[in-house]
Amino acid sequence: MEVVKNKERRWRDVRAKLKPLLDLGDIWIAALDGLALNHLGYRALAKVTVALSESTQDERTYARELRKELAEALDSKKQALQPFHWRLEFPDVFYQTDGSPRPEGQCGFDAVLGNPPYVSTHTSSEQAWRRGLEARVGYLEDTYVHFTEQGLTLLRPGGLIGFIVSDTFFTLESKRRMRQWLQQCRLLCLGQCDPFEATVDAAIFVARMEPISDGTSLLFIQARHENEPNTPEQDLPKVYLREFTLPESTSVRHVQHGCLNLHVAPISIYRTALNQSFFEPSPPALALYHRFNDAVKRLVGEWWERIETSTKFAENEQEIREYQRSLTPGDVTLVGLIAEGAQGMRTANNGRFIGYLEGTAQAREIQSKRELWTRKWLSNARVKRAFLRLLAQNGGDQAQPTSNVPAWEACVEPLKAKFHARNELGFGRTDLYRVVRRSLLAGPDDFRFAFEQRKAELLALWQSERQLSGFWEEHRLLPGSQQTRRYFRTATELSGADFCQLSQELVAWLELENEGRTKQRPSRPRIPRDALGFRSSEYYSDPADASRIATIYNGLSGRGQWVPFRKGDPEGNRWVDNEPLFINWSKESVDWLSTAPEARWQGHKLFLTPGVTWTAVANHVAMKARHQDSCIFDADSMRLTPRIGVLDPLTFLALMNSHLLSFMKMKFIKHTQKWEIGDLRLLPLTMPTPEQASQLANLAKSAIAAKRVSFGDNTPPNELVAFTRELTEDLRAQAPAYLKPDAQGLLLPTASDCLKIIELMVNWEAEKLYGVEGLGPFDDF
């Protein structure tokens, strides 16, 4: 006991001697977190705290007043931050007995073990430590990244660190610094595991703090297996690092140990991987790594800054189009180089603009709700008076309020402006109330009518706009025409081709005219683009596309005014959704949606084109991509639209739904449950031959047909079953073993069974296209 007490007394003496330094460390941390203290004030406090005998009386007086002034704020910071100074709390680890620093090879802990908290930057926004931490280390990341850096900082050369953390650091760009730290150490062991009953996917690493070469090997342990008996807690204790000699090597060795997949791999494959990502070096992953890593890195280095956002894609569109024309079958490119990406708009009021098609189950549900809503309104005296007045104004029958549906619908928005939507009117946040008549759906004739109206409107404006007079005075032939500009100034009607050519000439003239004015007479006012009358990104260059452009930016004013609308699919369907939604695309609606500050007018360039969307969150399953016919899409429906003539949207859909592309996204690009547009742009894409593209497109059509049948009675038509049986015979005869259908799948009693066979064939065709046939399975997500 005397020995223990003596140690306690000695430690109290040590703490007393350390206290000035601890106090100074607290002040330093508080200053990083915003304590009102500049560098001169800190120097004064430091001098009187640790070198009092060397300070002057004036310095002592100033420091005393400053400390008094800061006392309350400093105490508050210390309570909130609870500073901990490792080198002072463990002085024997970092200093020799005489107080001098330990030599470099002896300074630090022999080992650091940790299971840090998995707190993300998104969920720590209210934490007091954020500002001081960011000021100290220069960045802000998920807490486990900071704990890892701290652990490495505290380690002595040759020391060992072992942590269990979230495995998001394997691929996320924001955590690249953590991968670089580990790839500079001797990473002895790296593994994926699920030790917690939580949604967190975890990883372990053990590293030694010492320099390495590219040939240095590590042991990768895969302890995570979906849908299989999994007992890593029994198998892991039997795995000892000493059983695995890790020689300098450029090859990879694979060992199966119980439920564990073990791989001995050189660190070089990670140092040279795209974004230096970590991945399980399984045979399927290595096959893709060796085939595509160098090509993808080259393409990313050359193009990424020009395609990473829809804005940058648009800015570099001409170069991208030239590149697309150069592609031939077999070339490796990036998804982001053949498909434009965009998020759609937000209406700010879906109920006002969107409805379900009549005759659908959703429309019938609205009809039932309409009766319930009406009864609720009539039971409230204030709402009843307003409702009946509005109904009469719109031509409805007060005795039968729901008999005239258009009159009833016309009452809703004024009621929502006056009464509480949920409490008084009974509308939920996502409730729609409009039913769309089939007779009001827009078709090609309605789009052409919109263009004819817009063409006449713009031509009249150009002919009368005084600021454009200089354009008409130039006696030049219009390219591709036998007529001069002056001729078109008095023309009353133009062909679509002449109109598009005239439109481009006017835009080019305006740019040159303004450039000349700036150089020659800077004081002369520039001609605003508004003089041309175009809206937003309205631009006419292709007569075949002019009707679509006119419809997007000016709306429909003929008979049909409703067009398909698509938003995110909460059901998470693959191939196609089951939402028969339409949006009112009248001129009045477009005027509001494109200018109202409440709405978000974006993605409009790709409106009314076919493309591919997907479910934004899908955990440990393949991507859930869906085809979108020509439509308006909203912000919850991220979209990739391949260039027509480069890749058919249905071919693209089949590839996006193949296991192969999901495998590559999860292994090499982003190992999380989020499927974001920027990540999909990075996927490699092998350009198909016409025959391969046609085969994939036909499979996508059949998959869509099967999916649509599954939404109904689930009885597949004979044509679908016959087509699927042909696929079954090919799969059984020639496909890799892991892509052969099982006995149950051969019966094809339901559309879902047909879909499973079609998806097997999609996976097979994708493997053949990418040159990795039979090297799978590629179903580890």
Side-chain angles (χ1 to χ4, degrees), residues 230-511:
N230 200 11
T231 57
E233 67 280 1
Q234 298 176 19
D235 297 328
L236 276 171
K238 302 171 186 176
V239 176
Y240 297 99
L241 285 177
R242 65 171 179 266
E243 293 181 2
F244 296 88
T245 57
L246 304 180
E248 297 270 329
S249 175
T250 58
S251 62
V252 181
R253 291 188 292 131
H254 312 284
V255 179
Q256 186 77 28
H257 185 82
C259 72
L260 306 176
N261 292 330
L262 309 176
H263 314 277
V264 180
I267 194 67
S268 59
I269 67 171
Y270 301 119
R271 285 179 166 182
T272 58
L274 178 67
N275 292 327
Q276 295 177 262
S277 296
F278 283 120
F279 58 91
E280 180 188 0
S282 62
L286 287 172
L288 291 168
Y289 167 83
H290 290 305
R291 183 167 179 78
F292 294 103
N293 184 66
D294 289 345
V296 171
K297 285 176 65 178
R298 176 180 53 79
L299 289 164
V300 169
E302 182 179 357
W303 288 99
W304 184 244
E305 290 185 356
R306 290 179 277 179
I307 64 170
E308 63 178 319
T309 67
S310 55
T311 300
K312 291 183 177 181
F313 189 102
E315 292 171 352
N316 299 281
E317 188 167 356
Q318 183 174 352
E319 296 173 77
I320 296 169
R321 297 294 179 235
E322 292 176 1
Y323 168 79
Q324 290 173 346
R325 286 191 287 271
S326 73
L327 291 171
T328 59
D331 286 347
V332 176
T333 184
L334 299 177
V335 164
L337 277 167
I338 59 93
E340 296 181 64
Q343 285 186 310
M345 68 174 185
R346 291 198 186 279
T347 69
N349 185 351
N350 280 353
R352 173 179 172 183
F353 300 102
I354 299 170
Y356 282 112
L357 185 64
E358 66 179 355
T360 62
Q362 295 90 336
R364 289 190 290 272
E365 184 178 355
I366 285 179
Q367 291 167 353
S368 300
K369 286 184 175 181
R370 189 186 299 140
E371 302 296 331
L372 297 175
W373 285 323
T374 303
R375 286 200 292 270
K376 183 177 180 66
W377 301 347
L378 295 176
S379 67
N380 182 316
R382 291 176 58 247
V383 177
K384 177 180 179 180
R385 284 194 298 272
F387 169 54
L388 293 179
R389 183 174 63 254
L390 287 166
L391 192 66
Q393 291 173 1
N394 287 287
D397 184 351
Q398 294 184 348
Q400 296 179 305
T402 60
S403 60
N404 187 329
V405 173
W408 183 92
E409 290 180 350
C411 299
V412 176
E413 291 306 315
L415 289 175
K416 288 168 69 175
K418 188 173 183 180
F419 302 102
H420 192 282
R422 179 177 293 277
N423 297 342
E424 294 180 286
L425 300 180
F427 286 116
R429 186 176 63 86
T430 60
D431 277 336
L432 302 180
Y433 61 83
R434 304 189 72 170
V435 175
V436 182
R437 296 183 181 182
R438 293 181 183 273
S439 60
L440 298 180
L441 300 184
D445 288 343
D446 300 291
F447 294 161
R448 282 192 290 269
F449 182 68
F451 174 50
E452 292 300 323
Q453 285 195 309
R454 184 59 171 161
K455 183 170 61 172
E457 179 184 2
L458 286 175
L459 181 59
L461 172 65
W462 298 338
Q463 291 170 339
S464 61
E465 175 57 59
R466 294 175 58 188
Q467 296 183 91
L468 303 180
S469 59
F471 173 82
W472 300 112
E473 290 168 2
E474 294 183 13
H475 194 73
R476 295 173 55 186
L477 287 174
L478 202 66
S481 173
Q482 299 301 312
Q483 303 296 341
T484 65
R485 289 182 179 179
R486 289 184 179 180
Y487 168 81
F488 287 106
R489 188 172 192 177
T490 58
T492 57
E493 189 173 337
L494 294 180
S495 68
D498 282 345
F499 175 81
C500 289
Q501 189 61 57
L502 182 60
S503 171
Q504 294 175 75
E505 285 287 293
L506 277 162
V507 171
W509 175 85
L510 185 67
E511 292 177 354

Side-chain angles (χ1 to χ4, degrees), residues 362 567-579 612-618 621-627 653 657 703-704 706-708 710-711 752 755 759:
Q362 295 90 336
K567 58 180 182 177
D569 179 17
E571 301 297 324
N573 289 297
R574 186 176 280 118
W575 298 106
V576 70
D577 64 29
N578 191 33
E579 294 283 347
V612 173
T613 186
W614 58 90
T615 302
V617 178
V621 296
M623 182 181 182
K624 298 179 179 181
R626 295 181 296 279
H627 183 254
L653 173 68
N657 270 331
I704 291 171
K707 187 67 176 180
R708 283 180 171 151
S710 73
F711 290 136
S752 296
L755 185 57
E759 289 177 339

Side-chain angles (χ1 to χ4, degrees), residues 94-107:
F94 298 95
Y95 299 94
Q96 301 187 87
T97 55
D98 63 356
S100 62
R102 281 181 173 271
E104 183 177 343
Q106 302 173 20
C107 185

Side-chain angles (χ1 to χ4, degrees), residues 744-761:
Q744 176 64 31
L746 301 178
L747 301 177
L748 305 179
T750 68
S752 296
D753 292 312
C754 292
L755 185 57
K756 291 177 183 177
I757 300 297
I758 295 169
E759 289 177 339
L760 287 175
M761 182 60 78

Side-chain angles (χ1 to χ4, degrees), residues 466-671:
R466 294 175 58 188
Q467 296 183 91
L468 303 180
S469 59
F471 173 82
W472 300 112
E473 290 168 2
E474 294 183 13
H475 194 73
R476 295 173 55 186
L477 287 174
L478 202 66
S481 173
Q482 299 301 312
Q483 303 296 341
T484 65
R485 289 182 179 179
R486 289 184 179 180
Y487 168 81
F488 287 106
R489 188 172 192 177
T490 58
T492 57
E493 189 173 337
L494 294 180
S495 68
D498 282 345
F499 175 81
C500 289
Q501 189 61 57
L502 182 60
S503 171
Q504 294 175 75
E505 285 287 293
L506 277 162
V507 171
W509 175 85
L510 185 67
E511 292 177 354
L512 286 173
E513 176 68 15
N514 283 331
E515 183 180 341
R517 291 187 179 192
T518 300
K519 291 180 178 178
Q520 298 168 13
R521 294 178 56 187
S523 60
R524 190 179 180 188
R526 293 168 59 87
I527 302 174
R529 192 175 186 277
D530 291 349
L532 299 178
F534 291 133
R535 302 183 63 172
S536 185
S537 299
E538 185 179 12
Y539 183 68
Y540 297 93
S541 59
D542 181 2
D545 198 35
S547 295
R548 181 183 73 90
I549 299 298
T551 299
I552 291 172
Y553 297 105
N554 300 279
L556 297 161
S557 54
R559 173 196 55 79
Q561 296 188 341
W562 290 82
V563 298
F565 180 79
R566 288 296 176 265
K567 58 180 182 177
D569 179 17
E571 301 297 324
N573 289 297
R574 186 176 280 118
W575 298 106
V576 70
D577 64 29
N578 191 33
E579 294 283 347
L581 287 169
F582 288 79
I583 186 170
N584 183 276
W585 207 249
S586 64
K587 184 173 181 9
E588 178 186 15
S589 295
V590 172
D591 286 344
W592 191 91
L593 290 167
S594 60
T595 59
E598 306 98 300
R600 284 172 55 188
W601 179 255
Q602 56 187 18
H604 39 80
K605 182 180 178 182
L606 300 179
F607 286 172
L608 302 176
T609 62
V612 173
T613 186
W614 58 90
T615 302
V617 178
N619 199 17
H620 294 307
V621 296
M623 182 181 182
K624 298 179 179 181
R626 295 181 296 279
H627 183 254
Q628 286 184 337
D629 288 322
S630 298
C631 66
I632 309 297
F633 52 96
D634 85 344
D636 290 331
S637 182
M638 294 176 290
R639 167 76 93 89
L640 281 168
T641 304
R643 173 81 168 175
I644 300 299
V646 178
L647 194 68
D648 183 84
L650 287 172
T651 302
F652 184 57
L653 173 68
L655 291 175
M656 296 299 275
N657 270 331
S658 69
H659 280 174
L660 190 59
L661 267 72
S662 292
F663 184 91
M664 287 191 283
K665 179 266 181 185
M666 294 298 286
K667 295 298 180 183
F668 305 115
I669 297 173
K670 182 174 286 185
H671 185 74

